């Protein structure tokens, strides 16, 4: 469903709920000993591990997301490294969304730790949006976890509400209205605005738009010309209360991707890299089975520590869903590339990350059957396999190709990965 709307909306009726240091707070919620201590959640806790989520206490000591673990410990010797528990964070996410839906039916999860509560149609119910935000904070602490904190931004649209949620952390509450927006924007830079990275900022600056205030007061035609797309018009709408352009709530996936940054231990042998590639393909298989779709296109990409990249795209004559089949297609392509160019293997010790993506989906029920293979039986097998995994646990029933003494691939969850929930 698309809840976007193009009409003047000046009343602050949209709440953006941003859970503070979510992964680390979930760990502290479940482990009383961790409360008040600087915690760094990592996928791996080895020397070269990466802190993917520092706690509030760790942030105050200078630890940042993406910092290497050995560097973080030098900066904060009392840091407690904790391996990530994705299942725990998913459970808390679902509980928080359930609480938010007691306030409004119009709740849109934006990521694992963020959600929009649209109260535009509830103005007769909630007379004071600030009091409602305080009530939401209290409900989360009482019904989900007493150690969980959130910052809430209130504004006439999602973009400004998200911007407001970033103004005061942790446990903040900020309102942006037509009367206060200029005072908020004049304290920020372009890259402080959600959705504007360094490249977009450089493009705007080249077009004479150097600050958020200048962005707000630029004409829509000028912004559209500078951005070379409809995005410029969207910026004008967001900053001038012209409606809502960020509430497309369609659950459909336009693409699915599985990506991993590779540790030194993982790239130590070709076998480990090969195992990781196979696991990425099986992850996409699981997601496609759960969504009931087949893909018609696939891409594979690698990044290396020297900045170089490798990219490969394939379009299938027959739609695919089988993970081992995707893996076989990629492996065949990599071997042909190596033979044709007489170069070192694509999967080598210099690899920094790899990503497999699938897109152009069609529903499983309209996939044409092959005259020579019993695809229907394979499809039922995959569906049964993941139904059993969901019921009894992911490790209770596995393919022979998934059996490992020391699996290289761990279950992790990205902050934006919520469509499976």
């Amino acid at each position: 469903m698309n809840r976007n709307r193009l009409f003047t909306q000046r009343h602050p009726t949209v709440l953006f709920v941003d859970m503070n240091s979510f992964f680390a707070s979930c760990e502290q919620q479940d482990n009383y000993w961790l409360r008040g201590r600087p915690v760094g959640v990592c996928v791996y806790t080895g020397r070269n591990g990466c802190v993917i989520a520092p706690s509030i206490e760790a942030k105050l000591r200078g630890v940042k997301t993406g910092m290497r673990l050995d560097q973080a410990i030098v900066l904060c010797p009392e840091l407690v490294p904790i391996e990530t528990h994705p299942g725990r964070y998913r459970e808390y996410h679902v509980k928080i969304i359930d609480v938010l839906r007691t306030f409004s039916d119009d709740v849109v999860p934006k990521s694992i730790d963020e959600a929009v509560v649209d109260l535009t149609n509830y103005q007769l119910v909630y007379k004071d949006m600030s009091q409602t935000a305080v009530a939401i904070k209290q409900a989360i602490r009482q019904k989900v976890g007493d150690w969980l904190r959130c910052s809430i931004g209130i504004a006439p649209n999602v973009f400004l509400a998200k911007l407001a949620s970033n103004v005061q952390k942790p446990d903040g509450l900020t309102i942006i209205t037509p009367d206060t927006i200029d005072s908020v924007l004049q304290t920020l830079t372009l890259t402080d605005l959600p959705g504007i990275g360094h490249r977009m900022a450089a493009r705007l600056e080249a077009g004479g738009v150097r600050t958020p205030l200048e962005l707000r007061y630029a004409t829509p035609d000028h912004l559209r010309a500078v951005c070379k797309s409809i995005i410029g018009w969207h910026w004008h709408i967001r900053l001038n209360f012209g409606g809502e352009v960020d509430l497309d709530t369609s659950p459909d996936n336009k693409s699915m991707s599985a990506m991993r940054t590779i540790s030194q231990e993982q790239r130590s042998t070709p076998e480990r890299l090969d195992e990781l590639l196979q696991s990425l393909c099986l992850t996409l298989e699981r997601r496609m089975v759960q969504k009931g779709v087949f893909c018609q296109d696939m891409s594979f990409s690698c990044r290396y520590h020297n900045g170089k990249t490798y990219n490969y795209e394939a379009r299938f004559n027959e739609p695919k869903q089988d993970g081992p089949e995707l893996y076989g297609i990629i492996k065949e392509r990599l071997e042909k590339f190596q033979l044709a160019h007489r170069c070192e293997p694509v999967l080598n010790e210099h690899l920094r990350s790899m990503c497999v993506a699938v897109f152009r989906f069609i529903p499983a029920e309209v996939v044409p059957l092959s005259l020579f293979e019993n695809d229907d039986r394979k499809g039922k097998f995959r569906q049964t396999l993941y139904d059993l995994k969901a019921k009894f646990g992911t490790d209770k029933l596995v393919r022979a190709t998934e059996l490992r003494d020391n699996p290289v691939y761990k279950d992790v969850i990205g902050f934006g990965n919520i469509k499976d929930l």
Side-chain angles (χ1 to χ4, degrees):
M1 179 179 178
N2 191 328
R3 294 197 181 112
N4 289 339
R5 46 191 180 253
L6 293 179
F7 56 79
T8 301
Q9 166 67 358
R10 305 178 70 84
H11 298 292
T13 58
V14 177
L15 279 61
F16 195 95
V17 181
D18 183 356
M19 302 304 299
N20 302 143
S21 300
F22 183 55
F23 290 3
S25 295
C26 291
E27 298 293 345
Q28 292 171 317
Q29 180 64 42
D30 279 14
N31 188 339
Y32 187 83
W33 182 82
L34 295 175
R35 297 186 181 187
R37 299 175 185 268
V39 173
V41 176
C42 312
V43 177
Y44 300 95
T45 54
R47 176 184 177 85
N48 295 315
C50 176
V51 178
I52 63 170
S55 68
I56 294 172
E57 299 83 359
K59 289 178 179 177
L60 291 175
R61 290 166 171 80
V63 180
K64 297 181 180 180
T65 300
M67 185 175 286
R68 216 169 69 179
L69 185 55
D70 56 353
Q71 296 172 339
I73 290 178
V74 169
L75 193 64
C76 177
E78 64 271 32
L79 183 73
V80 182
I82 299 291
E83 285 201 359
T84 181
H85 297 93
R88 178 175 299 162
Y89 315 143
R90 294 184 182 106
E91 290 175 3
Y92 275 113
H93 167 84
V94 172
K95 291 178 182 178
I96 290 168
I97 297 302
D98 287 343
V99 168
L100 296 180
R101 285 182 174 145
T102 64
F103 289 85
S104 168
D105 290 333
D106 297 334
V107 174
V108 182
K110 300 297 284 187
S111 69
I112 190 70
D113 63 339
E114 298 174 328
V116 174
V117 183
D118 186 2
L119 299 180
T120 303
N121 296 326
Y122 292 78
Q123 295 181 59
L124 296 178
V125 179
Y126 303 110
K127 305 294 185 181
D128 189 321
M129 294 298 166
S130 296
Q131 290 182 0
T132 305
V134 172
I136 288 175
K137 288 171 176 280
Q138 292 173 344
I140 290 174
R141 288 196 291 268
Q142 293 171 0
K143 299 178 181 179
V144 184
D146 61 338
W147 199 255
L148 301 179
R149 299 291 184 270
C150 65
S151 293
I152 299 181
I154 308 174
N157 60 52
V158 171
F159 172 81
L160 292 177
K162 179 175 175 62
L163 181 64
S165 73
N166 291 326
V167 171
Q168 182 184 358
K169 287 186 175 182
D171 204 23
L173 175 57
T174 303
I175 303 177
I176 291 180
T177 67
D179 294 331
T180 63
I181 184 172
D182 284 358
S183 61
V184 172
L185 292 180
Q186 69 184 5
T187 65
L188 306 175
T189 65
L190 287 174
T191 53
D192 290 328
L193 300 183
I196 295 187
H198 292 290
R199 289 185 180 180
M200 178 59 75
R203 181 180 296 181
L204 290 169
E205 289 170 357
V209 180
R210 296 174 293 276
T211 67
L213 271 180
E214 291 179 354
L215 180 64
R216 185 187 176 209
Y217 289 106
T219 66
D221 290 340
H222 179 62
L223 291 178
R224 190 163 185 166
V226 170
C227 296
K228 298 180 181 179
S229 74
I230 198 174
I231 292 175
W233 180 59
H234 285 171
W235 286 118
H236 177 79
I237 290 174
R238 292 176 179 122
L239 295 173
N240 290 276
F241 311 101
E244 184 62 78
V245 295
D246 298 300
L247 265 183
D248 183 358
T249 59
S250 171
D252 296 334
N253 295 76
K254 295 180 180 178
S255 66
M256 300 179 190
S257 62
M259 189 273 286
R260 286 294 177 273
T261 299
I262 301 169
S263 68
Q264 183 175 0
E265 188 273 333
Q266 290 172 336
R267 60 175 178 266
S268 59
T269 64
E271 290 77 19
R272 300 293 274 175
L273 292 172
D274 196 64
E275 177 189 335
L276 181 56
L277 172 59
Q278 188 174 98
S279 298
L280 293 176
C281 293
L282 288 172
T283 296
L284 293 175
E285 175 193 273
R286 172 179 57 82
R287 294 178 185 170
M288 285 191 284
V289 169
Q290 290 174 341
K291 289 292 183 181
V293 297
F294 280 61
C295 69
Q296 299 177 92
D297 291 336
M298 176 184 69
S299 69
F300 172 72
S301 60
C302 294
R303 290 186 177 276
Y304 302 89
H305 280 281
N306 60 8
K308 294 183 179 180
T309 61
Y310 171 85
N311 297 279
Y312 162 63
E313 294 187 3
R315 175 160 291 188
F316 307 131
N317 293 325
E318 297 180 357
K320 308 293 184 187
Q321 189 188 64
D322 190 68
E325 190 174 0
L326 297 177
Y327 164 78
I329 292 170
I330 294 173
K331 283 292 292 182
E332 182 181 1
R333 167 64 183 180
L334 298 186
E335 291 169 0
K336 287 182 178 179
F337 181 86
Q338 183 182 353
L339 288 174
H341 298 278
R342 297 181 180 178
C343 61
E344 63 179 323
V346 174
L347 305 183
N348 59 55
E349 61 183 1
H350 306 294
L351 201 60
R352 180 178 181 180
S353 66
M354 71 169 78
C355 175
V356 183
V358 290
F359 38 98
R360 214 160 60 92
F361 300 115
I362 61 173
E365 58 267 20
V366 302
V367 173
L369 299 178
S370 171
L371 292 175
F372 306 104
E373 294 186 30
N374 195 336
D375 294 331
D376 187 49
R377 290 187 63 187
K378 291 182 179 179
K380 288 180 179 178
F381 162 75
R382 289 191 294 268
Q383 184 64 60
T384 303
L385 173 66
Y386 289 107
D387 286 345
L388 291 172
K389 282 176 175 284
K391 185 174 182 179
F392 298 107
T394 57
D395 58 342
K396 297 299 186 292
L397 184 65
V398 297
R399 289 184 171 93
T401 55
E402 296 178 82
L403 291 174
R404 302 283 187 271
D405 292 331
N406 182 24
V408 69
Y409 185 89
K410 291 190 176 183
D411 178 26
V412 297
I413 184 168
F415 285 94
N417 186 13
I418 57 170
K419 294 193 176 191
D420 291 346
L421 301 182

